[in-house]
Amino acid sequence: MTDIIQATDSGATFKARNDISKFSEQLGLRRLPIFRYDATLESLDSLHARIDGITAGVKAGDTVYYQFPTYNGVQFEKTFVQHMHIRQVNLVAVLHDVEFLRFPSTTYFDEITYLNNFDVVIVHNYRMETVLKEYGLKSNAVNLNIFDYSVNVQIPDRKKIEKKIIVAGSLNKSDYLKNWSYKIPIIAYGKQPNYSISSQVDYRGVLSPNQIVQKLPSGFGLVWDVNTNQYENSEEYAKYNNPHKVSLYIASGLPVIVKRGTAIATMVQTYNLGIIIDSLDELEEKIHQLTERQLDGIMIQVNHFKMLLTTGFFTKHAIIETEFQIAMGYPERSLFYE
C-alpha cells in the first residue's frame, strides 16, 4: 500500500491516506512510502530512479495498492503505473478524489483512461462506481462505502447529544456560515475561510485531525458543502463522494446531518446515523422534532458504527474483497443454500 508522506495538516488529505496505510498494514500489507512533492520539473531519469527506489521490494506477482491521486503531478502518476506494468504486478487504485468530477472546468487529465490501467479500482461507493462506468471505466470496482478514521485514544460513547450544530473541515465550502441566521447554536472548526464568518457562529479555529476527534463538543455534525468560486462543483460532487468529515463526526460519537440525494445519505439512512434534510431551512425543525426515543436509537447506532470506523473495518473489508477479485477474476458472490 502506498503511503503518502507529507506534513500533517488540518484537512482530510493527509489523514485519510495515512489511515488507509495504517489499517492495511494491520492486514499484513507493507507500506511503500511516497513523499509528496512537485514532480513536474523532475527529469524522467530522476523520476524512474525515484520510483525504482520506492518499489525496490516489489516482485512480479505482488499486488500494489496505489492511493490516487498523489498530487505529485500527472507525470508521476503515469510513470508509476508504467513501472508496475513492467514489473508484472497486480495493480489496485484506491480513490480518494476524482478530479474531473470535482473540478470539471480545470481538470484535463484523462482519469478514466488512466484508471483503466488498474486491475481493480476501490471507489467510494456504488454511486461513484456507476458514474465512473458511465464515463467508460472498465476495471473491476470495489466499494469502500465510507472512510475509516483512526484515533489515538479510545473515544467514550456519548450518552446524550445536545441540540447544537457542529461544522468541521474546509470552511470555504461552507459559505452559509457568513450569513448564518438560524437560532440553533452552531460551532465551527477549520482554517479561517476567505469570507467573514457571521457573529452568530462560534468559530473555534484549527485543530489537528487527532485533536479534533477528541475535542468536538456534543451536537450534530453538519455535512453541507456548497458551490463556491474555489469549489465550483461541490454540490454535484456530493452525489458521488464520501465526505471525510462524516467519518470524523461518527468517530467522535456525533450523529450527522446530510443532504438528501447525496451519496452519503444512503449510508446515513441505512444505518440510522442521523438526519437527512432537503434544505438548511429544515434543520431546526428536524432536530427539535426528534423524540428522546428516536435520538437514543440514533446514538446506539452511532456508537456501534464508531467502533467499525476506528478499527478500520471498511478499509480491511475493501482490501479483502479486492484480493478475492484478483484471485478469482470476478466479485465475490452471495451463497444461497436450499
Side-chain angles (χ1 to χ4, degrees):
M1 177 69 74
T2 59
D3 184 21
I4 308 301
I5 308 298
Q6 67 178 77
T8 303
D9 59 25
S10 61
T13 302
F14 168 81
K15 176 66 174 169
R17 287 161 172 76
N18 188 256
D19 283 354
I20 284 179
S21 298
K22 174 181 177 179
F23 290 131
S24 65
E25 195 172 39
Q26 293 173 6
L27 278 182
L29 276 70
R30 287 177 292 140
R31 297 193 191 208
L32 296 178
I34 295 177
F35 284 89
R36 177 102 176 260
Y37 76 110
D38 183 1
T40 55
L41 300 178
E42 187 171 30
S43 70
L44 276 176
D45 285 345
S46 176
L47 182 56
H48 286 310
R50 182 187 296 273
I51 293 173
D52 281 339
I54 291 168
T55 60
V58 175
K59 308 185 300 296
D62 283 350
T63 299
V64 172
Y65 290 77
Y66 185 72
Q67 298 199 61
F68 175 81
T70 63
Y71 296 115
N72 284 353
V74 173
Q75 182 172 262
F76 183 95
E77 313 285 23
K78 289 182 175 180
T79 306
F80 192 97
V81 168
Q82 291 166 2
H83 272 243
M84 294 304 96
H85 283 166
I86 292 169
R87 302 275 280 281
Q88 297 182 316
V89 304
N90 302 305
L91 198 52
V92 179
V94 182
L95 284 189
H96 285 273
D97 275 306
V98 183
E99 298 299 290
F100 83 89
L101 294 176
R102 192 178 178 209
F103 299 108
S105 69
T106 57
T107 300
Y108 304 103
F109 179 26
D110 185 351
E111 290 171 295
I112 294 296
T113 298
Y114 177 75
L115 292 173
N116 279 333
N117 288 299
F118 290 81
D119 298 285
V120 179
V121 179
I122 298 178
V123 300
H124 289 199
N125 50 61
Y126 177 74
R127 284 214 190 163
M128 182 175 281
E129 176 185 351
T130 300
V131 73
L132 292 181
K133 287 185 175 178
E134 288 173 354
Y135 276 99
L137 181 69
K138 295 180 175 60
S139 301
N140 289 338
V142 168
N143 294 328
L144 181 65
N145 292 312
I146 191 170
F147 282 102
D148 293 309
Y149 200 103
S150 173
V151 296
N152 291 333
V153 297
Q154 185 173 358
I155 309 294
D157 288 352
R158 297 183 192 255
K159 304 301 181 185
K160 295 291 181 182
I161 286 294
E162 295 183 27
K163 294 183 177 180
K164 295 180 180 178
I165 304 299
I166 313 298
V167 177
S170 178
L171 300 184
N172 281 324
K173 292 185 284 186
S174 309
D175 69 355
Y176 48 82
L177 295 177
K178 64 184 175 185
N179 297 312
W180 188 267
S181 59
Y182 304 105
K183 294 179 181 178
I184 191 164
I186 182 167
I187 302 168
Y189 294 87
K191 291 181 181 178
Q192 179 71 48
N194 54 19
Y195 59 84
S196 296
I197 297 174
S198 166
S199 59
Q200 292 183 244
V201 177
D202 181 359
Y203 174 61
R204 299 190 181 179
V206 180
L207 293 174
S208 74
N210 288 324
Q211 290 174 322
I212 195 169
V213 71
Q214 301 174 45
K215 295 187 177 181
L216 284 180
S218 177
F220 289 79
L222 178 62
V223 185
W224 201 275
D225 294 342
V226 297
N227 293 344
T228 65
N229 290 336
Q230 186 176 353
Y231 295 94
E232 59 174 329
N233 212 40
S234 288
E235 294 172 37
E236 182 69 16
Y237 191 52
K239 296 177 182 178
Y240 313 116
N241 82 315
N242 294 339
H244 194 254
K245 67 181 69 176
V246 172
S247 304
L248 162 63
Y249 295 144
I250 295 174
S252 186
L254 301 184
V256 296
I257 300 171
V258 301
K259 187 175 185 178
R260 192 179 310 280
T262 58
I264 202 64
T266 302
M267 177 71 75
V268 173
Q269 182 176 31
T270 300
Y271 295 104
N272 192 26
L273 299 172
I275 300 171
I276 300 171
I277 59 176
D278 293 292
S279 164
L280 289 177
D281 292 338
E282 300 175 26
L283 192 149
E284 291 177 293
E285 181 181 2
K286 287 282 189 179
I287 290 178
H288 290 303
Q289 281 179 345
L290 282 176
T291 66
E292 288 298 318
R293 183 174 181 180
Q294 287 173 324
L295 189 51
D296 287 346
I298 290 172
M299 289 313 301
I300 288 171
Q301 291 294 98
V302 168
N303 287 326
H304 288 172
F305 219 76
K306 177 183 70 174
M307 295 174 61
L308 298 176
L309 298 188
T310 57
T311 55
F313 172 84
F314 291 95
T315 300
K316 295 170 184 175
H317 188 272
I319 290 171
I320 291 169
E321 166 63 13
T322 299
E323 293 295 321
F324 184 96
Q325 289 207 24
I326 289 172
M328 300 297 292
Y330 54 81
E332 188 175 4
R333 297 168 180 169
S334 298
L335 301 178
F336 297 93
Y337 298 96
E338 295 182 356

